[in-house]
C-alpha cells in the first residue's frame, strides 16, 4: 500500500498561525483545511490573489437582482392591490360611518316619537276609562230617574181627580226631593 501523504509544503510561521486559526474556526485539521482550500480554488478557478473577484461580484449582483425582482413582483402582485383595496375599504368605512350616524339619529327621533305615542295612548286610555265611567253613571242615573218617574206616575194615578191638593203637593215635593238626591 502506498502512502498518499508524500508531499509537504513549507510556509512562514505567520501563515501557520493564520491557517491554524482558520482550521480551529472551521473545526478541521490544518491538513484537511489546506486540502479543501486547494480543491475550492481548483473547482472555482478563482485566483487567490484577486481579492476583488469578478465572478463573486457577478453572482452577488445576480442574487441581489433576483431578490429585488422577487420583491418587485410581490409588491406588484400583492402590496399594490392591497393598498388600492384598502383605500376603497376606507372610503366604504367612512360611508358606513355616516350611515350609522344617520341611523342613530333616526333611532333617537323614533324613540322620541314612540314616547310621545305612548303618552298619547295613555291619555287616550284615561279618556276612554273616564267616558266609560260617565256612561255607567248616566245609565245608573237613567235607571234611578225612571224609578222616580214610575213612582210618580203610579202615585198620581192612584190619587185620582178628587184628591186634595195637599196630597198632590206632598207627592210633588217627594218627587222633587228624590230628583235632588240623584
Amino acid at each position: 500500500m502506498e502512502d498518499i501523504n508524500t508531499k509537504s509544503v513549507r510556509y512562514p510561521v505567520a501563515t501557520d498561525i493564520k491557517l491554524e486559526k482558520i482550521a480551529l474556526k472551521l473545526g478541521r485539521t490544518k491538513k484537511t483545511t489546506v486540502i479543501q482550500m486547494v480543491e475550492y480554488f481548483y473547482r472555482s478557478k478563482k485566483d487567490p490573489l484577486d481579492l476583488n473577484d469578478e465572478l463573486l461580484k457577478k453572482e452577488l449582483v445576480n442574487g441581489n437582482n433576483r431578490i429585488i425582482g422577487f420583491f418587485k413582483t410581490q409588491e406588484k402582485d400583492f402590496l399594490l392591490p392591497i393598498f388600492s383595496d384598502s383605500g376603497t375599504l376606507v372610503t366604504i368605512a367612512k360611508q358606513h360611518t355616516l350611515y350609522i350616524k344617520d341611523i342613530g339619529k333616526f333611532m333617537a327621533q323614533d324613540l322620541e316619537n314612540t314616547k310621545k305615542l305612548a303618552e298619547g295612548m295613555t291619555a287616550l286610555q284615561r279618556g276612554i276609562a273616564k267616558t266609560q265611567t260617565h256612561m255607567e253613571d248616566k245609565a245608573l242615573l237613567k235607571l234611578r230617574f225612571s224609578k222616580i218617574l214610575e213612582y210618580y206616575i203610579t202615585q198620581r194615578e192612584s190619587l185620582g181627580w178628587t184628591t186634595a191638593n195637599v196630597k198632590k203637593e206632598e207627592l210633588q215635593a217627594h218627587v222633587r226631593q228624590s230628583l235632588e238626591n240623584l
Side-chain angles (χ1 to χ4, degrees):
M1 184 151 182
E2 189 176 328
D3 187 14
I4 59 170
N5 298 320
T6 57
K7 301 290 183 185
S8 65
V9 177
R10 292 190 172 263
Y11 48 86
V13 173
T15 304
D16 184 53
I17 293 172
K18 290 179 185 177
L19 180 61
E20 193 169 334
K21 284 182 181 179
I22 292 172
L24 283 175
K25 183 178 176 185
L26 296 175
R28 302 176 185 128
T29 62
K30 289 193 282 184
K31 179 180 171 184
T32 305
T33 304
V34 169
I35 292 170
Q36 289 174 346
M37 285 188 324
V38 169
E39 191 66 30
Y40 170 78
F41 287 117
Y42 181 77
R43 285 186 185 175
S44 66
K45 297 179 175 50
K46 293 182 182 178
D47 183 3
L49 291 177
D50 185 12
L51 296 178
N52 297 324
D53 187 7
E54 290 301 319
L55 291 175
L56 181 61
K57 283 184 183 179
K58 284 181 183 178
E59 283 296 318
L60 288 175
V61 168
N62 286 340
N64 287 343
N65 287 341
R66 281 194 311 255
I67 292 170
I68 291 171
F70 173 77
F71 285 142
K72 285 183 179 180
T73 304
Q74 296 298 312
E75 179 182 358
K76 183 180 78 173
D77 291 345
F78 296 111
L79 292 178
L80 291 178
I82 288 173
F83 284 140
S84 63
D85 290 345
S86 65
T88 305
L89 290 175
V90 167
T91 304
I92 291 171
K94 286 179 182 178
Q95 289 174 345
H96 283 259
T97 303
L98 294 175
Y99 293 145
I100 290 171
K101 285 181 182 177
D102 289 343
I103 289 171
K105 289 177 186 176
F106 175 76
M107 289 178 71
Q109 290 174 350
D110 191 43
L111 181 64
E112 289 179 26
N113 292 340
T114 305
K115 285 181 182 177
K116 288 178 184 177
L117 184 62
E119 290 171 1
M121 292 297 288
T122 304
L124 185 61
Q125 285 176 345
R126 284 188 206 132
I128 290 171
K130 192 174 182 180
T131 303
Q132 185 70 26
T133 304
H134 287 309
M135 288 179 73
E136 290 170 359
D137 289 346
K138 182 180 174 185
L140 184 61
L141 187 62
K142 280 183 180 180
L143 181 67
R144 287 181 181 169
F145 187 75
S146 174
K147 285 182 181 179
I148 292 171
L149 184 62
E150 288 296 322
Y151 173 76
Y152 177 74
I153 290 171
T154 53
Q155 291 299 319
R156 177 79 179 193
E157 297 252 338
S158 68
L159 288 178
W161 294 104
T162 58
T163 310
N165 276 340
V166 174
K167 288 269 187 191
K168 288 180 184 178
E169 286 178 12
E170 281 179 16
L171 178 61
Q172 288 175 357
H174 177 69
V175 170
R176 284 188 184 118
Q177 184 62 41
S178 295
L179 287 176
E180 282 184 28
N181 288 341
L182 285 179

